[in-house]
Amino acid sequence: MKKKLIAASAGVVASGALFFGGAPYYFGGQAEQVLADQYRLLQENGFLTVESRRYERGWFESTETLEVRLKPSLLNNAGNYLPDNLKTVLSEPVTVINHVKHGPFADGLQPAAARVESEFRYSPEAGKVLKRFFGEQEPVTLTNTIGLGGGGRLNLSVPAFDYEELSGIALNWKGLSGETSYTSGWAGFKSNYQAPLLHIKLADKGDIRMENLQIGSDTYDSPSKLAVGSSSFKLDKLSLQWQEGIDYNIKLNELVNLVTDLQIGAFINPTGTVPPSKITVSKLQFDTRMNEEGGWANTEGRFRFDRLAYGDENYGPLDIDVAAEHLEAKSLLAIKRTMAEVASKNMSEDEIQKALLHTARNEASGLFTGNPIIKVRAFDFTLPKGKIHANGQLSFNGLSKADLDDVSLMLKKTRADFKFDLPEPLLEDMAVSQARSLFTVNPEDEAAGTASMEDINETLRLMVKSTVNVMADNGYLTLKDDNVATRVEIAQGQLKLNGKVFESEVEPEFDDEGAAP
């Protein structure tokens, strides 16, 4: 009996030794695969370049060494908007050393395949800049807990700091933190990050304040390997205050397009001079959603803010809700590849536009020939001179690739139906804004008081008012209390306004004497 007990005990001990001795090596292989998939994602992203990678596999511990840097083209494009200190940090390569501890208890009592702690080493130049702000704190802390099934969780944090110079420039940063949980093979991942406060004081010139930034996403691979899911960007408040009057040209449509890919028009591109004042945007939010089924993708986006104030004027709320349906997935992937290539090169705006148009007409032509539908579910915007409302949809039916080179053929296969309601004074302001770069006044005439830009502006306003009145008389639009409303329809190459076929007036012909017949 004792012999059997001893034999059984020996078997248990041997099995335990085999498990605890072999398990770390087995889980080490699992950790290596997870980090290899992570490396693949880094190579495919449009922001970073991985210049080198080395992986040293051990029994209980392994080490991965990466050298990464921000793609130079991105820095070139944004360089004019960045302070010198930040440009120094972003332009230098960073060495990331991932210390991998693997085994069933790599994360303590919580079962895990491995735990990865990342060490960041910076160039001497970048290190000096970072030390000025973070002191002895590590600028970035990153851990990766790899689960037994191949999924895991990344935890990232950037510590808070309070920095001030003798010149009066000061930065108060309350830190950033969050996590990304991922499935096996990084086939899907969810992220959630928060930054409570960034306050920049520009000595006696003014300050910038950003409050409660939240970024979240839920992303996974579709059958066509298209990244689909949802994302959310929220900012409670952004304010800019200055103590001296400045000239400004705020191109809000370009700002929105940069963040959301939505073109919202020049009517919120204010220009002029603001005295010592403050710009504030409150409750800014952008949400997206995309899915794919059977090789076709549907996507939607919603951009909102409660209030935009600058000078003495208030804008908002703004609510833009748009969607695109029946988009060919492989064409979207072609556009994505082109955009990644563009991001990796130092190209002018014209070159970028040509590259995207070439892709749209060739590899991504399915975006147009697949009978897509573009919907503006709502466009609601309150301005100082009234409210704008628009909704409707645009679709292409039966387009061929050859039709993309012929505008008349495209129009015959285009259907559009939009409703607009907006204040007439806004149309006048748009005309004045667009014409500002086309007209000039002779300085001598302006000094003598015989001509001024205000005369030109007033003429343009009268022209717009006259055009609106004529179109209202002809039934192309409805004019009520300085509000313009109409319905725009396009079908079979025919344009209707307010249900009436639009016919432009024939230009008068002139004889050799220059007189109209």
Side-chain angles (χ1 to χ4, degrees), residues 384-403:
K385 294 186 178 181
K387 295 182 179 180
I388 299 173
H389 172 75
N391 67 281
Q393 70 176 44
L394 169 73
S395 62
F396 299 107
N397 299 293
L399 271 180
S400 67
K401 187 176 178 181
D403 293 337

Side-chain angles (χ1 to χ4, degrees), residues 267 319-322 375-381 387-393 417-422 486:
F267 46 80
D319 189 352
I320 305 173
D321 189 354
V322 297
K375 294 182 177 180
V376 179
R377 294 170 175 166
F379 187 116
D380 293 294
F381 191 27
K387 295 182 179 180
I388 299 173
H389 172 75
N391 67 281
Q393 70 176 44
D417 188 353
F418 289 92
K419 294 179 180 179
F420 296 92
D421 193 334
L422 68 163
T486 191

Side-chain angles (χ1 to χ4, degrees), residues 86 89-90 118 120 122 130-131 133-143 154-162 171-179 192-198 210 213:
L86 188 55
V89 174
L90 295 178
S118 299
F120 295 85
Y122 308 95
L130 292 169
K131 193 167 184 178
F133 297 101
F134 293 98
E136 299 303 319
Q137 300 181 100
E138 289 295 330
V140 180
T141 300
L142 177 64
T143 62
L154 283 171
N155 289 90
L156 171 72
S157 66
V158 178
F161 63 78
D162 202 347
L171 282 80
N172 184 6
W173 164 251
K174 293 301 183 184
L176 178 145
S177 62
E179 69 175 41
N192 189 17
Y193 292 88
Q194 306 85 32
L197 175 73
L198 172 63
M210 181 186 73
L213 172 65

Side-chain angles (χ1 to χ4, degrees), residues 217-278:
S217 66
D218 184 354
T219 307
Y220 59 93
D221 286 340
S222 72
S224 300
K225 300 301 179 183
L226 190 67
V228 297
S230 60
S231 67
S232 176
F233 175 98
K234 297 180 181 178
L235 184 62
D236 275 2
K237 192 174 184 180
L238 174 66
S239 62
L240 300 89
Q241 186 171 2
W242 55 95
Q243 306 302 326
E244 297 177 358
I246 60 169
D247 292 334
Y248 67 91
N249 182 6
I250 304 172
K251 297 188 176 180
L252 294 178
N253 62 318
E254 293 184 6
L255 173 63
V256 173
N257 182 50
L258 177 67
V259 179
T260 69
D261 288 335
L262 301 176
Q263 295 281 2
I264 63 175
F267 46 80
I268 56 170
N269 284 351
T271 59
T273 300
V274 173
S277 189
K278 183 177 183 180

Side-chain angles (χ1 to χ4, degrees), residues 137-455:
Q137 300 181 100
E138 289 295 330
V140 180
T141 300
L142 177 64
T143 62
N144 185 357
T145 303
I146 300 173
L148 298 176
R153 184 183 70 254
L154 283 171
N155 289 90
L156 171 72
S157 66
V158 178
F161 63 78
D162 202 347
Y163 171 80
E164 187 171 359
E165 293 182 352
L166 293 176
S167 62
I169 294 177
L171 282 80
N172 184 6
W173 164 251
K174 293 301 183 184
L176 178 145
S177 62
E179 69 175 41
T180 297
S181 57
Y182 57 90
T183 60
S184 178
W186 283 86
F189 50 91
K190 296 181 180 180
S191 299
N192 189 17
Y193 292 88
Q194 306 85 32
L197 175 73
L198 172 63
H199 184 197
I200 304 173
K201 184 180 179 182
L202 304 173
D204 58 351
K205 302 296 183 183
D207 62 23
I208 302 169
R209 187 180 181 92
M210 181 186 73
E211 298 178 13
N212 196 22
L213 172 65
Q214 300 179 59
I215 301 174
S217 66
D218 184 354
T219 307
Y220 59 93
D221 286 340
S222 72
S224 300
K225 300 301 179 183
L226 190 67
V228 297
S230 60
S231 67
S232 176
F233 175 98
K234 297 180 181 178
L235 184 62
D236 275 2
K237 192 174 184 180
L238 174 66
S239 62
L240 300 89
Q241 186 171 2
W242 55 95
Q243 306 302 326
E244 297 177 358
I246 60 169
D247 292 334
Y248 67 91
N249 182 6
I250 304 172
K251 297 188 176 180
L252 294 178
N253 62 318
E254 293 184 6
L255 173 63
V256 173
N257 182 50
L258 177 67
V259 179
T260 69
D261 288 335
L262 301 176
Q263 295 281 2
I264 63 175
F267 46 80
I268 56 170
N269 284 351
T271 59
T273 300
V274 173
S277 189
K278 183 177 183 180
I279 293 179
T280 303
V281 183
S282 59
K283 299 298 180 184
L284 178 67
Q285 182 171 347
F286 177 55
D287 301 293
T288 67
R289 187 177 301 275
M290 178 185 283
N291 62 63
E292 186 223 318
E293 186 175 352
W296 301 96
N298 299 318
T299 182
E300 58 187 73
R302 191 174 183 187
F303 181 82
R304 291 169 282 176
F305 61 69
D306 279 359
R307 181 172 174 266
L308 168 67
Y310 58 86
D312 296 325
E313 296 185 325
N314 290 307
Y315 287 75
L318 169 69
D319 189 352
I320 305 173
D321 189 354
V322 297
E325 299 175 358
H326 209 255
L327 304 176
E328 189 181 59
K330 67 178 183 180
S331 292
L332 288 174
L333 287 171
I335 292 288
K336 181 181 178 181
R337 285 194 296 269
T338 300
M339 292 183 71
E341 291 172 5
V342 164
S344 65
K345 300 175 182 177
N346 189 13
M347 300 172 66
S348 66
E349 289 186 12
D350 287 343
E351 290 171 333
I352 292 173
Q353 187 176 26
K354 287 179 181 178
L356 291 174
L357 280 175
H358 181 270
T359 301
R361 287 178 173 173
N362 294 279
E363 306 98 301
S365 60
L367 286 177
F368 304 95
T369 61
N371 300 335
I373 302 173
I374 312 299
K375 294 182 177 180
V376 179
R377 294 170 175 166
F379 187 116
D380 293 294
F381 191 27
T382 300
L383 301 98
K385 294 186 178 181
K387 295 182 179 180
I388 299 173
H389 172 75
N391 67 281
Q393 70 176 44
L394 169 73
S395 62
F396 299 107
N397 299 293
L399 271 180
S400 67
K401 187 176 178 181
D403 293 337
L404 300 180
D405 295 320
D406 191 321
V407 175
S408 62
L409 290 176
M410 284 190 66
L411 285 175
K412 288 180 180 179
K413 298 177 182 180
T414 299
R415 294 187 65 87
D417 188 353
F418 289 92
K419 294 179 180 179
F420 296 92
D421 193 334
L422 68 163
E424 190 216 331
L426 176 63
L427 294 175
E428 298 173 12
D429 288 347
M430 289 173 62
V432 170
S433 176
Q434 296 297 320
R436 185 172 280 117
S437 60
L438 302 177
F439 296 95
T440 58
V441 175
N442 189 306
E444 290 79 9
D445 293 336
E446 187 171 18
T450 57
S452 69
M453 280 301 299
E454 189 53 43
D455 295 334

